[in-house]
Amino acid sequence: MDDLRYLQGLIREGEHQQQDFKYRVEDARKLARSVSAFANTCGGRLLIGVRDDGCLCGVRSEEEIYMMHQAAYRYCRPEASIKFDTYHVQGRVIVIATVPKSDHRPVCAIDEDGRQRAFIRIDDENIVASPVHLCIWREEQSPKATTFTYGEAEQRLLSVLSDDASHTLNQLVRQTRLPRPKVITLLARLIRYGLISWQLDNHQFVFASNSL
């Protein structure tokens, strides 16, 4: 398959959880958010030099290619693994940056103020990871026990989650009357054990029992 047909096949997929189009690279820090989101979720690829409508516009300069490298190696902590493939089609240069899922999550993007924030990829959007996601990634660094202990705090949280509704983190803190860090830790653990699930609803992360 020639390069043009290969790129056209990818573009027909549109933007989705594992693919994003970038018309221009004007800020390495902003590009680092996409790198972070792919690395923290399922991996993915950036088609750089492609408009949102799928039109091939090409990379304009060596400066853009330099900023791509900066995004992964300077503005991500830890440095993200990334592979660049260059395609020459219709007199234009298209770069595909492939980011694998990281084994060392979270991969954080560094913003203009030097703050580190982790992102996840949901559909075709990069979303700031919740405190629960950060806790899940910390928990993943330790072996999962073969049994789960139900203490008073666990029972209180599961009791609130047993109703026919989804709850935000703040709602669960209020309803359980448990310290916020404790609720975050319990949610992360219960998600790891498959007892509850999360989703993004109206720009908020919500949690529900899997027994519903």
Side-chain angles (χ1 to χ4, degrees):
M1 181 182 296
D2 62 33
D3 289 352
L4 179 58
R5 288 176 60 195
Y6 174 65
L7 290 171
Q8 288 174 335
L10 295 180
I11 289 168
R12 279 195 294 271
E13 295 179 14
E15 294 182 306
H16 51 72
Q17 187 171 22
Q18 292 184 275
Q19 181 164 283
D20 199 5
F21 299 160
K22 291 292 180 187
Y23 167 40
R24 291 179 179 173
V25 179
E26 297 178 314
D27 188 333
R29 292 181 181 88
K30 289 183 179 178
L31 186 62
R33 298 174 189 172
S34 294
V35 175
S36 166
F38 284 137
N40 289 329
T41 313
C42 301
R45 58 180 169 260
L46 291 155
L47 275 61
I48 302 169
V50 178
R51 295 179 185 271
D52 288 345
D53 61 4
C55 177
L56 298 173
C57 56
V59 174
R60 296 173 302 163
S61 67
E62 291 293 326
E63 178 67 17
E64 284 193 83
I65 295 175
Y66 172 75
M67 283 192 286
M68 295 177 212
H69 288 81
Q70 291 283 86
Y73 305 130
R74 181 175 179 182
Y75 294 114
C76 282
R77 292 290 183 277
E79 288 185 0
S81 297
I82 190 166
K83 180 170 73 78
F84 297 98
D85 293 297
T86 302
Y87 297 85
H88 299 268
V89 294
Q90 298 180 337
R92 298 175 176 86
V93 176
I94 307 297
V95 177
I96 297 182
T98 303
V99 182
K101 179 180 177 180
S102 176
D103 293 327
H104 304 285
R105 299 181 291 175
V107 172
C108 296
I110 302 173
D111 66 16
E112 294 79 359
D113 299 318
R115 295 175 300 181
Q116 297 187 25
R117 291 193 299 173
F119 291 79
I120 60 174
R121 185 81 173 170
I122 300 178
D123 296 330
D124 61 351
E125 292 187 82
N126 302 325
I127 308 293
V128 177
S130 75
V132 176
H133 289 98
L134 299 178
C135 189
I136 290 171
W137 294 327
R138 287 196 301 269
E139 289 263 326
E140 286 176 347
Q141 305 307 310
S142 59
K144 186 166 67 172
T146 55
T147 58
F148 183 81
T149 303
Y150 287 86
E152 180 183 347
E154 287 82 358
Q155 291 174 359
R156 196 184 303 181
L157 179 59
L158 287 169
S159 176
V160 172
L161 287 166
S162 66
D163 62 13
D164 188 21
S166 297
H167 304 264
T168 66
L169 173 59
N170 289 338
Q171 289 170 340
L172 289 171
V173 170
R174 289 195 300 270
Q175 292 178 51
T176 61
R177 298 182 181 178
L178 293 169
R180 183 182 177 89
K182 181 68 173 178
V183 174
I184 291 170
T185 300
L186 290 177
L187 286 172
R189 198 161 297 163
L190 290 166
I191 290 169
R192 275 192 85 193
Y193 279 86
L195 297 175
I196 65 172
S197 57
W198 64 268
Q199 65 178 345
L200 189 68
D201 182 23
N202 196 26
H203 305 292
Q204 293 189 99
F205 289 105
V206 294
F207 306 88
S209 171
N210 283 338
S211 62
L212 295 179

